[in-house]
Amino acid sequence: MPTTSSVRQLPHPERAEIRLEAVLHALADPIRLRIVTALDPYGEGDGSGATCSQVELPVSASTSTHHFRVLREAGVINQCYRGTAKINCLRRTDLEARFPGLLDAVLRAAAS
């Protein structure tokens, strides 16, 4: 019999599985770059983060979902369910360990 306490988990690459070409592809899109910029102030999964709807995007909900999925599958963001909401945060520590300085350089370039 299924239990109601089961938690939905989304697949994320392990740190060692994060590939540079996937990260660069994910960050090359202006909408995804906008998402990453919006998530930066939220920290890294210490109970904080933003729901998908908190990140204002000029695209439909289904397109927004696609962009968040690309970022998650590339290892750029972490997504977890809190109730029925999906909470998003950057995987800053993992990205810094794999590609030192990359995320900060991208965020600086996006701000200028």
Side-chain angles (χ1 to χ4, degrees):
M1 172 189 268
T3 65
T4 57
S5 63
S6 62
V7 177
R8 291 188 291 175
Q9 299 284 330
L10 295 165
H12 295 81
E14 296 294 327
R15 178 187 287 183
E17 297 171 333
I18 298 173
R19 310 266 314 172
L20 180 60
E21 60 271 19
V23 172
L24 293 176
H25 168 75
L27 295 174
D29 183 271
I31 297 294
R32 293 192 288 265
L33 186 55
R34 187 171 176 169
I35 292 168
V36 169
T37 301
L39 293 178
D40 188 42
Y42 284 94
E44 188 174 4
D46 53 355
S48 61
T51 63
C52 298
S53 62
Q54 285 178 292
V55 179
E56 292 187 34
L57 299 173
V59 296
S60 68
S62 62
T63 301
S64 174
T65 299
H66 164 75
H67 287 299
F68 277 96
R69 181 181 53 80
V70 169
L71 289 166
R72 177 177 46 82
E73 290 177 351
V76 176
I77 66 170
N78 183 54
Q79 290 186 305
C80 63
Y81 281 100
R82 186 175 301 142
T84 58
K86 235 186 254 181
I87 305 300
N88 304 280
C89 62
L90 293 179
R91 291 181 64 180
R92 182 175 279 286
T93 301
D94 290 337
L95 290 171
E96 186 63 24
R98 292 285 290 145
F99 316 110
L102 176 66
L103 185 58
D104 286 332
V106 168
L107 289 170
R108 273 194 311 274
S112 60

